[in-house]
């Protein structure tokens, strides 16, 4: 897929341009991040003091959202050129990892939307000789939610980590639970270290998978929406290598052109 064709797809699918994430949602996240609310920190411990104005300027620079603090309602906007630049940088990191055949870990808090995207990356990295790690499969992870502390199970689908509610089937009918927590990646890394096996040299994913790994000094790259400032703060501070701005909640098949583009740019197409 050419850059021009992908740009057109980003706009048509709502992955960039005017997106479904509302300005109200984004501003609320910036406010909570400035207050160091763990729900939006995603496992990051920012080194700098970020207030709401700082975050709005950062997100305008990284994503292309309006930098006007008086713009407080309506749909948010992502600049497709910034998405394309992010995807190119994301692909370059994947290609470098594949060339060095390093161990990798992939995980998502958006299995309903992004699982297919990450599965394709895991397959390609494995075919290139990378060890795709699956530590701590089946481990219980207690995560604080708006309903209180809930226990989830860490699971893998074709090399991609996610969490499931206990008792739900992993046979493909239930893709997993939505999660922002960094606790699953911490559990996976702890298990890998305790088992004496290799640790990942690259973590690929979103939400807490990226920020949690990056905070621990592991190279991490991922996708993030306009209401996920943590990944872009992590990128600005150096804990996250690449944060790609795009809507992370559209239909799963809308990410397939991105998959083809990224694998081609990373020289991982088969």
């Amino acid at each position: 897929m050419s850059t021009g064709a992908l740009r057109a797809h980003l706009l048509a699918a709502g992955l960039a341009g005017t997106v479904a994430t509302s300005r109200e949602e984004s501003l609320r996240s910036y406010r909570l991040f400035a207050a160091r609310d763990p729900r939006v920190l995603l496992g990051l411990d920012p080194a700098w003091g970020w207030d709401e104005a700082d975050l709005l300027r950062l997100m305008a620079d990284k994503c292309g959202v309006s930098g006007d603090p008086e713009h407080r309602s309506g749909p948010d906007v992502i600049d497709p050129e910034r998405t394309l630049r992010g995807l190119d940088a994301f692909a370059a990191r994947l290609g470098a990892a594949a060339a060095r055949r390093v161990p990798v870990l992939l995980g998502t808090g958006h299995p309903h939307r992004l699982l297919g995207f990450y599965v394709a990356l895991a397959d390609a990295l494995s075919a290139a000789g990378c060890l795709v790690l699956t530590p701590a499969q089946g481990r219980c992870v207690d995560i604080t939610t708006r309903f209180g502390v809930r226990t989830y199970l860490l699971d893998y689908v074709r090399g991609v980590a996610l969490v499931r509610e206990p008792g739900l089937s992993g046979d493909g009918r239930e893709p997993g639970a939505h999660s922002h927590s960094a606790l699953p990646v911490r559990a996976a890394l702890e298990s890998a270290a305790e088992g004496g096996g290799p640790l990942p040299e690259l973590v690929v994913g979103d939400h807490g998978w990226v920020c949690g790994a990056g905070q621990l000094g592991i190279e991490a790259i991922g996708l993030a929406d306009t209401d996920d400032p943590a990944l872009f703060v992590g990128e600005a501070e150096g804990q996250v290598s690449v944060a790609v701005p795009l809507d992370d909640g559209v239909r799963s098949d809308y990410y397939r052109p991105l998959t083809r583009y990224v694998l081609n740019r990373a020289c991982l197409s088969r």
Side-chain angles (χ1 to χ4, degrees), residues 21-154:
T21 307
S22 71
R23 181 71 166 181
E24 294 92 334
E25 290 176 89
S26 296
L27 293 177
R28 177 179 180 272
S29 290
Y30 308 161
R31 185 169 62 253
L32 292 174
F33 190 98
R36 299 291 180 114
D37 190 309
R39 292 174 294 176
V40 294
L41 291 177
L42 309 183
L44 195 72
D45 182 15
W48 307 342
W50 294 86
D51 61 23
E52 291 180 59
D54 295 329
L55 291 165
L56 185 57
R57 285 191 292 270
L58 176 75
M59 297 301 284
D61 177 58
K62 294 286 189 180
C63 300
V65 304
S66 172
D68 180 3
E70 298 304 314
H71 178 201
R72 308 197 65 82
S73 63
D76 229 330
V77 175
I78 295 175
D79 177 11
E81 297 302 324
R82 288 171 170 82
T83 303
L84 289 167
R85 289 199 296 270
L87 289 171
D88 287 344
F90 184 96
R93 297 288 185 170
L94 282 181
R100 294 185 291 117
R101 297 183 178 180
V102 302
V104 295
L105 175 66
L106 297 94
T108 181
H110 268 297
H112 294 77
R113 308 298 185 191
L114 290 167
L115 182 58
F117 174 78
Y118 295 120
V119 162
L121 301 187
D123 287 346
L125 289 167
S126 178
C130 293
L131 178 61
V132 177
L133 303 175
T134 58
Q137 182 159 13
R139 176 176 290 191
C140 292
V141 182
D142 293 328
I143 298 175
T144 300
T145 73
R146 59 181 175 171
F147 306 108
V149 176
R150 295 283 183 88
T151 298
Y152 293 87
L153 298 179
L154 182 58

Side-chain angles (χ1 to χ4, degrees), residues 199-216:
L199 290 171
E201 293 188 32
L202 178 68
V203 172
V204 183
D206 48 60
H207 289 171
W209 289 94
V210 174
C211 292
Q215 183 64 42
L216 294 175

